[in-house]
Amino acid sequence: MFTLAEVASLNDIQPTYRILKPWWDVFMDYLAVVMLMVAIFAGTMQLTKDQVVCLPVLQSTVNSKAQPSTSGKADFTTVETTTGQGEDASMRTVSFGSAPTVTPDVPLSRATSPQYQPTESGQELKKEQKDSSGRKTNLDFQQYVFINQMCYHLALPWYSKYFPYLVLIHTIILIVSSNFWFKYPKTCSKIEHFVSILGKCFESPWTTKALSETACEDSEENKQRLTGAQSLPKYVSTSSDEGSPSASTPMITKSGFKFSADKPMIEVPSVTILDKKDGEQAKALFEKVRKFRAHVEDSDLIYKLYVGQTIIKTFKFIFILCYTANFVNTISFEHICNPKVEHLIGYTQFECTHNMAYMLKKLLISYISLICVYGFICLYTLFWLFRIPLKEYSFEKVREESSFSDIPDVKNDFAFLLHMVDQYDQLYSKRFGVFLSEVSENKLREISLNHEWTFEKLRQHVSRNAQDKQELHLFMLSGVPDAVFDLTDLDVLKLELIPEAKIPAKISQMTNLQELHLCHCPAKVEQTAFSFLRDHLRCLYVKFTDVAEIPAWVYLLKNLRELYLIGNLNSENNKMIGLESLRELRHLKILHVKSNLTKIPPNITDVAPHLTKLVIHNDGTKLVVLNSLKKMMNVAELELQNCELERIPHAIFSLSNLQELDLKSNSIRTIEEIISFQHLKRLTCLKLWHNKIVNIPSSITHVKNLESLYLSNNKLESLPAAVFSLQKLRCLDVSYNSITVIPVEIGLLQNLQHFHITGNKVDILPKQLFKCVKLRTLSLGQNCITSIPDKVGQLLQLTHLELKGNCIDRLPATLGQCQLLRKSGLVVEDHLFDTLPSEVKEVLNQDTSIPFANGI
């Protein structure tokens, strides 16, 4: 035997799932419990009291029924009782037709005793003797028990015998159908995750704070609209009234705030400042909600399963009602039984009574009533499921009531779960919507960020850069802390990988700020902040992955002097960059573009009248079109690095004001066009390093104003005499080539101050080299030099001498005559330095400030 509690456990679900149980599901659960009680009560009664009592139908009675008397009474067969004298036992003779049967006289029960003779008219029996007597049968007790059991199974309709079990089975099926979506693995995990997140969102202090601030903002707006009216009272609710969760849900606290659209009220936030732990939990909730939404919105399995189980319950209701209604009239108190056991009993027909008939009939009618109510609720559920699109959920009402206008609408299973929650309490969805809003998330990040990055902490991160400027570098933060703008003496601000950076009006306090770095940081600025940056910012670095990351306000900084753009700016995206706006940069002097351009954007010419330096660093992409350079007549410095140029572009020869040209890291093999540089009268610096140049044409002698020539990391094998005709040359760098000889004509370069020939194959130093008495830097390392002439002492202004990596066995003592040379500027092996006389070493070890103190 099982108990009601054991069966009712099939209907149990986790208490936290109750928020997904609308009223109709709860009502059907209670109906299922009542039906279980009906089944168990009927089953208990049947097992303990259910029985059938049968009496044989006498033949004469049958005949009398066939031929009724005029008096309306049945003609009973005469019963004669003969008592033999002198015998110990008495014999009873009962006449049934023509064949009397003699049986021993045995005591019978009250119901079957011959002393009680039933009559159809209900009148009292006539007393023939002193004691009343009825019709006698010849059945003993065992025969009555036998026939009762036989007739129970033969005479009673099957529904009367199995009604409790059918009710129990049907009810269990209905219960399983109602809660299957909570048990099915593919939906159970999503529901469990959803309920867990929903409870945490409801209890989160951030939810209370966000909605409280919204309520306060709304009340402030109402005050402004109702100017002169009486101030509104504050209503604070801490009890669990309507709109708040029930006490049966353990994950939700009873205390909460009411949000009423009817009464104007101001909610006093219970938590005005989030501690660090609450902030971290809220940020984790935002991430969980984001991932859960992406996971659940992809399918509608939960919705389909709920619809399916509702349809199954509806069909089950129709099926039960159809076949059960037909059996109501079959349950009767009286039954006629023909067991075909005449050879055992002696009778062919019995009339039986079923003592549970009336009770079963009432229970059946009650069960049918419950099933009807259950079915109508199922039909209502289907109507609700198809009346509105439950796979779409709009937060429009929440957006109207709060300041979070960006809460997105959701779909599929996510939307269906929220619709189900609304049937429990709409406050859950309202609080849940806070964690779908990016505005809410940004506010939380801002609060947490400001708590973590205080003024004192930021001050510790301020450092001095190479230009001796105060610099602050912020990396991978959720935003820009407010305390940053209190560092009024800051010169350089670097913001890197801060996707939600906002520059408020407080930046106007930073009067020393002139340089700003935005590395993958599409910063937004307020109008007042923009006005300040437009007037005070001088240098701006913008590093990006896509041109869309470049803030539009960058092209409106009219007082900007230097602009550095680092990112993807290929020719296909030139239209998107918005370079036409560069015309607003009226004071721009330096434009640095590090990208993968195939042509120079023509819009750069908008700043041509005042641009003095243009730098284009490609990532190896070949720069093909350079016609736009011809319009940049005022450019004094031009760098085209890593652009896969094979020759010197002809457009460069039109830049009459060009002073410095850098073509580093290209694929230039020949420089025959160098003769055209004679038209560039102001050209003083030519950098052709890191190319594939094999020789230097003699026409280089026509570039008479050249002061610096960089030809390192090429494939030169010799230096032509024409190079040494450049009398103004002060710096010559031919390092890392294959040069074997330094021509004697080098002595003609009387103005030469820096000579670099490191990494070549030179073995002898000509004496003419030491006639260049203005030399300050002489790099001779990694060659095949065996000795250093004593004339090196003539280089009185020498401050840097590199000899490391040669075959030198000693250093000349005349190095001591190089008054500006110190040990830090002498790059040699340690054992070579030890070969110098002690007095020379003492001179080289002197402080560098001593010679200058002597006026040298």
Side-chain angles (χ1 to χ4, degrees), residues 752-768:
L752 190 65
Q753 297 181 9
H754 306 278
F755 181 48
H756 304 274
I757 196 170
T758 302
N760 282 277
K761 300 178 181 179
V762 177
D763 54 357
I764 298 176
L765 297 179
K767 297 180 180 179
Q768 289 78 4

Side-chain angles (χ1 to χ4, degrees), residues 584-620:
E584 299 294 332
L585 307 180
R586 302 170 186 173
H587 296 88
L588 190 66
K589 301 296 182 183
I590 299 174
L591 177 60
H592 184 117
V593 179
K594 187 174 182 180
S595 184
N596 56 346
L597 298 175
T598 57
K599 65 178 181 179
I600 296 180
N603 293 329
I604 289 182
T605 57
D606 293 338
V607 293
H610 42 81
L611 195 67
T612 59
K613 183 177 180 179
L614 175 63
V615 179
I616 295 179
H617 284 196
N618 260 9
D619 60 354

Side-chain angles (χ1 to χ4, degrees), residues 577-779:
I577 191 173
L579 288 177
E580 64 275 8
S581 299
L582 289 178
R583 64 171 59 96
E584 299 294 332
L585 307 180
R586 302 170 186 173
H587 296 88
L588 190 66
K589 301 296 182 183
I590 299 174
L591 177 60
H592 184 117
V593 179
K594 187 174 182 180
S595 184
N596 56 346
L597 298 175
T598 57
K599 65 178 181 179
I600 296 180
N603 293 329
I604 289 182
T605 57
D606 293 338
V607 293
H610 42 81
L611 195 67
T612 59
K613 183 177 180 179
L614 175 63
V615 179
I616 295 179
H617 284 196
N618 260 9
D619 60 354
T621 304
K622 188 172 183 178
L623 188 61
V624 180
V625 182
L626 297 97
N627 294 332
S628 299
L629 287 176
K630 296 180 180 180
K631 300 179 181 180
M632 311 191 73
M633 302 303 296
N634 293 324
V635 170
E637 298 182 34
L638 176 63
E639 294 184 19
L640 302 176
Q641 296 188 16
N642 206 17
C643 297
E644 288 296 315
L645 301 175
E646 297 179 357
R647 304 180 72 91
I648 300 176
H650 290 277
I652 295 176
F653 303 134
S654 302
L655 305 178
S656 56
N657 290 316
L658 190 64
Q659 298 179 15
E660 181 177 332
L661 175 63
D662 189 350
L663 300 177
K664 181 182 179 181
S665 299
N666 285 284
S667 300
I668 300 175
R669 298 178 180 275
T670 178
I671 54 175
E672 296 296 333
E673 302 89 347
I674 201 170
I675 190 174
S676 300
F677 283 135
Q678 63 181 329
H679 304 295
L680 305 181
K681 302 298 183 181
R682 297 186 179 183
L683 185 64
T684 60
C685 181
L686 179 60
K687 297 180 179 180
L688 299 173
W689 44 358
H690 296 271
N691 280 282
K692 301 177 182 179
I693 301 172
V694 178
N695 55 60
I696 302 173
S698 58
S699 57
I700 194 173
T701 187
H702 297 289
V703 193
K704 297 180 179 180
N705 294 323
L706 206 60
E707 297 180 359
S708 301
L709 180 61
Y710 294 84
L711 293 167
S712 62
N713 295 90
N714 278 284
K715 298 182 179 181
L716 300 176
E717 296 182 356
S718 62
L719 293 175
V723 174
F724 305 105
S725 63
L726 302 174
Q727 296 297 318
K728 294 184 178 180
L729 200 63
R730 294 188 299 170
C731 179
L732 177 61
D733 186 357
V734 291
S735 302
Y736 301 101
N737 283 281
S738 300
I739 300 172
T740 57
V741 177
I742 299 177
V744 296
E745 289 83 1
I746 193 171
L748 300 175
L749 301 177
Q750 292 298 308
N751 291 316
L752 190 65
Q753 297 181 9
H754 306 278
F755 181 48
H756 304 274
I757 196 170
T758 302
N760 282 277
K761 300 178 181 179
V762 177
D763 54 357
I764 298 176
L765 297 179
K767 297 180 180 179
Q768 289 78 4
L769 174 63
F770 303 104
K771 292 183 179 180
C772 303
V773 294
K774 293 184 179 181
L775 273 175
R776 299 175 62 85
T777 303
L778 180 59
S779 300

Side-chain angles (χ1 to χ4, degrees), residues 565-577:
L565 300 177
I566 306 171
N568 186 4
L569 286 175
N570 55 47
S571 58
E572 296 179 356
N573 292 335
N574 277 339
K575 295 181 180 179
M576 298 175 61
I577 191 173

Side-chain angles (χ1 to χ4, degrees), residues 87-152:
E87 296 180 354
D88 295 334
S90 65
M91 301 295 292
R92 294 177 183 173
T93 303
V94 183
S95 177
F96 295 98
S98 60
T101 304
V102 180
T103 59
D105 189 10
V106 295
L108 299 177
S109 63
R110 179 183 178 91
T112 59
S113 174
Q115 296 177 1
Y116 296 93
Q117 179 177 352
T119 62
E120 294 181 0
S121 61
Q123 298 177 355
E124 296 182 358
L125 296 175
K126 297 179 179 180
K127 296 185 179 179
E128 297 179 353
Q129 298 178 357
K130 183 178 180 179
D131 295 329
S132 61
S133 61
R135 289 189 177 260
K136 299 181 180 179
T137 64
N138 60 338
L139 300 180
D140 59 12
F141 179 77
Q142 288 77 11
Q143 289 174 318
Y144 275 108
V145 172
F146 172 77
I147 199 63
N148 288 344
Q149 294 179 354
M150 286 290 295
C151 290
Y152 181 84

Side-chain angles (χ1 to χ4, degrees), residues 202-203 208 237-241 244-245 252-258 270 427 431:
F202 192 93
E203 293 179 329
T208 303
S237 174
T238 58
S239 62
S240 179
D241 295 333
S244 59
I252 305 300
T253 58
K254 288 188 177 181
S255 62
F257 296 95
K258 289 198 302 183
S270 59
L427 186 59
R431 285 178 168 258

